[in-house]
Amino acid sequence: MTKKKRENLGVALQIDGLEEKLSQCRRDLEAVNSRLCGAELSPEARKSLEKEKNSLINRASSYEKELKLLRQENRKNMLLSVAIFILLSLVYAYWTM
């Protein structure tokens, strides 16, 4: 997803989308692992599956890193929202007393 599109989406939606991608990547990795362990494969097929497995592992790692960053951003946004709410509550309480 391009940076411009990501900015238009909320952080929570980005997190949901990335979690779905990570889940699909893990399911694909399980399928590749079961194919590697299950059947007897030719050296070319085994090499191809190993390559696919490494690619999926790298992609999952990338998704996990990005997810970690998005969760940190989401946490920062939540804390900012709480701070603004408290500030407005204090101003309101001061004004009504």
Side-chain angles (χ1 to χ4, degrees):
M1 191 178 294
T2 64
K3 186 126 178 124
K4 183 95 172 147
K5 283 186 179 181
R6 279 190 203 162
E7 290 174 0
N8 291 338
L9 287 178
V11 176
L13 289 176
Q14 290 179 41
I15 290 172
D16 288 344
L18 207 53
E19 284 176 339
E20 181 59 37
K21 287 180 182 179
L22 181 59
S23 175
Q24 180 63 44
C25 189
R26 287 182 176 157
R27 283 192 297 269
D28 293 345
L29 187 57
E30 283 181 29
V32 168
N33 277 334
S34 67
R35 281 188 275 162
L36 274 171
C37 295
E40 290 192 24
L41 302 167
S42 67
E44 297 86 25
R46 180 167 295 283
K47 189 173 184 177
S48 173
L49 284 175
E50 287 290 340
K51 226 175 167 180
E52 186 178 350
K53 178 182 174 182
N54 289 335
S55 171
L56 287 169
I57 289 171
N58 289 337
R59 191 177 315 152
S61 176
S62 170
Y63 288 156
E64 287 168 351
K65 287 176 187 174
E66 192 172 346
L67 200 52
K68 182 180 177 184
L69 292 174
L70 284 173
R71 286 185 175 141
Q72 286 175 345
E73 184 178 340
N74 196 32
R75 201 172 302 120
K76 269 193 326 193
N77 290 344
M78 188 266 312
L79 289 173
L80 182 62
S81 297
V82 169
I84 291 171
F85 175 76
I86 290 171
L87 181 63
L88 290 175
S89 297
L90 290 172
V91 169
Y92 177 77
Y94 177 75
W95 222 265
T96 58
M97 290 188 169

